[in-house]
Amino acid sequence: LEALEQELADEQARLAKTQDLLALAEFIREIIRRAGPYVTRRLMQQVSLEAARLFTDVMADHTARLRWEENYEIVLEKGGRDRSFQQLSGGEQMAAALSIRMAMLSELTGI
């Protein structure tokens, strides 16, 4: 009976450790879930900055600024005026889309 009591106590101690680990894992999961939007926003900012640099190089126009916004809209600012992707010429659209894709590829390959 004493041996069984000791075995029970050992199993209860293991159960307590397992429950502590489970609680820690749940806490970490929750932190990661909450961090998702912040990580996404920061990644999009990095992609947007790199895309802007690529766009100005491709178009040889350093007065324009390309932005990839949080709603995934591509906007070109030039001369203090914002133009949406649909308002851009075909060449500007192609350069903007390729700049975003190349910047995404550059950022995501590092991950």
Side-chain angles (χ1 to χ4, degrees):
L1 187 58
E2 288 176 358
L4 288 174
E5 283 180 342
Q6 183 60 43
E7 190 178 323
L8 178 61
D10 292 345
E11 288 299 321
Q12 287 174 335
R14 270 194 289 261
L15 177 62
K17 280 184 179 180
T18 303
Q19 287 173 333
D20 288 346
L21 286 174
L22 180 60
L24 178 62
E26 289 297 324
F27 174 75
I28 292 170
R29 276 192 203 112
E30 181 63 21
I31 294 297
I32 291 171
R33 186 188 64 75
R34 287 184 188 174
Y38 298 104
V39 171
T40 300
R41 188 175 303 118
R42 183 67 178 143
L43 183 60
M44 285 189 71
Q45 288 171 346
Q46 286 298 112
V47 168
S48 184
L49 288 173
E50 179 64 14
R53 188 190 66 74
L54 289 169
F55 183 82
T56 58
D57 288 347
V58 168
M59 297 299 285
D61 181 4
H62 296 280
T63 63
R65 181 171 178 266
L66 187 71
R67 288 192 322 263
W68 192 37
E69 298 186 337
E70 286 188 33
N71 62 356
Y72 303 105
E73 178 69 27
I74 297 173
V75 176
L76 180 64
E77 179 187 337
K78 188 172 181 181
R81 185 172 157 245
D82 286 350
R83 292 171 31 213
S84 69
F85 186 79
Q86 293 79 13
Q87 295 172 325
L88 302 178
S89 70
E92 289 172 326
Q93 285 182 349
M94 182 64 70
L98 286 174
S99 296
I100 295 290
R101 288 180 181 176
M102 292 294 292
M104 283 177 32
L105 183 62
S106 174
E107 287 298 319
L108 295 177
T109 55
I111 293 174

